[in-house]
């Protein structure tokens, strides 16, 4: 888990220094577009329907990038995932390789808490580098959940917030967009494409021994 924190810290540290350089007021000016919030219920009629634990059951792979607030790609990564279901609990083991050769691992424990009053499935998730519990809701083809991560940067703990969205596009394809914020101001984002089933088998499991040349 420490190695994964170092990976996020490297990216977030750059964004946080930018935030401090601009000042909170200045950053708020460039961050105004991040203030509009969408509601996951708006996706209730979107198909194909996402059942989170079924989508991530078994082997899957992912490709992703980190971008700063201005759309500059700061890091790239690839992931092998292994999901196991036990009752209403999904354990999702993620192995990462970053484009600078760094390796990392995260293990999610995700619980399906059944439907809310609106008929949408509710989820809770924990991982070693997550503060407290991630909470979220699936409506239609979309999951939205949020969580905080405390990162150690140069000996100081800095907490950042993730507003995380997963959109199922096909039986074997989902797209993830996560917006990272500090003081309520967006400072960066993560984009991930998940492949499972036949799509993952066609190209995976990925070689995580070194970044492809």
């Amino acid at each position: 888990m420490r190695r994964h924190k170092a990976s996020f810290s490297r990216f977030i540290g750059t964004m946080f220094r930018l935030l401090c350089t601009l000042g909170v007021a200045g950053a708020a000016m460039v961050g105004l577009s991040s203030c509009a919030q969408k509601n996951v219920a708006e996706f209730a009629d979107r198909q194909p329907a996402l059942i989170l634990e079924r989508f991530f059951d078994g082997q899957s792979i992912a490709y992703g990038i980190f971008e700063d607030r201005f759309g500059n790609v700061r890091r790239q990564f690839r992931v092998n995932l292994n999901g196991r279901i036990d009752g209403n609990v999904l354990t999702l083991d993620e192995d990462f390789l970053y484009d600078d050769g760094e390796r990392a691992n995260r293990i999610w424990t995700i619980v399906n808490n059944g439907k809310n009053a609106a008929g949408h499935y509710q989820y809770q998730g924990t991982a070693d580098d997550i503060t407290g519990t991630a909470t979220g809701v699936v409506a239609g083809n979309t999951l939205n959940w949020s969580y905080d991560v405390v990162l150690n940067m140069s000996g100081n703990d800095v907490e950042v917030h993730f507003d995380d969205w997963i959109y199922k596009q096909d039986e074997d394809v989902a797209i993830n967009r996560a917006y990272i914020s500090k003081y309520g101001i967006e400072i960066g984002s993560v984009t991930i494409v998940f492949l499972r089933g036949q799509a993952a088998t066609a190209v995976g499991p990925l070689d995580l021994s070194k970044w492809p040349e």
Side-chain angles (χ1 to χ4, degrees):
M1 294 304 128
R2 185 174 301 170
R3 288 179 298 165
H4 196 83
K5 286 186 179 181
S7 302
F8 276 114
S9 295
R10 191 175 304 175
F11 169 69
I12 299 300
T14 302
M15 299 302 97
F16 188 67
R17 285 191 293 272
L18 174 62
L19 185 66
C20 292
T21 300
L22 289 171
V24 173
M29 293 295 291
V30 301
L32 287 176
S33 64
S34 67
C35 294
Q37 297 294 318
K38 52 185 179 287
N39 188 329
V40 69
E42 298 172 5
F43 298 87
D45 296 327
R46 300 288 181 91
Q47 297 292 324
L50 173 63
I51 301 177
L52 190 67
E53 58 271 39
R54 291 184 188 175
F55 186 86
F56 286 107
D57 185 23
Q59 304 288 329
S60 54
I61 64 173
Y63 299 90
I65 59 173
F66 290 103
E67 296 176 89
D68 65 22
R69 177 65 185 81
F70 305 103
N72 301 306
V73 175
R74 298 293 184 175
R75 300 196 82 186
Q76 302 179 67
F77 58 94
R78 44 180 45 203
V79 195
N80 285 327
L81 304 94
N82 182 28
R84 302 182 303 279
I85 297 176
D86 183 6
N88 67 332
V89 178
L90 168 68
T91 301
L92 188 60
D93 192 338
E94 305 173 326
D95 286 319
F96 292 77
L97 173 67
Y98 292 84
D99 56 356
D100 61 1
E102 184 176 356
R103 298 285 303 275
N105 175 261
R106 169 187 279 161
I107 300 176
W108 279 103
T109 300
I110 301 170
V111 180
N112 183 332
N113 287 324
K115 294 182 178 181
N116 61 17
H120 306 316
Y121 282 103
Q122 306 170 98
Y123 289 87
Q124 291 184 323
T126 57
D128 280 357
D129 58 343
I130 301 301
T131 302
T133 302
T135 59
V137 173
V138 168
N141 74 333
T142 303
L143 164 72
N144 174 225
W145 66 349
S146 60
Y147 48 91
D148 296 322
V149 181
V150 175
L151 305 173
N152 187 277
M153 298 185 297
S154 302
N156 297 313
D157 286 339
V158 177
E159 186 171 84
V160 295
H161 181 73
F162 278 69
D163 181 25
D164 207 337
W165 294 79
I166 297 178
Y167 307 91
K168 185 179 177 183
Q169 301 295 296
D170 185 84
E171 186 60 28
D172 293 337
V173 180
I175 297 174
N176 185 190
R177 285 282 285 162
Y179 303 93
I180 307 165
S181 61
K182 180 67 179 174
Y183 306 128
I185 301 164
E186 185 182 324
I187 59 174
S189 64
V190 181
T191 304
I192 305 173
V193 176
F194 293 107
L195 303 177
R196 66 176 300 277
Q198 294 182 355
T201 301
V203 292
L206 301 174
D207 180 4
L208 302 185
S209 62
K210 64 176 182 179
W211 193 259
E213 298 179 353

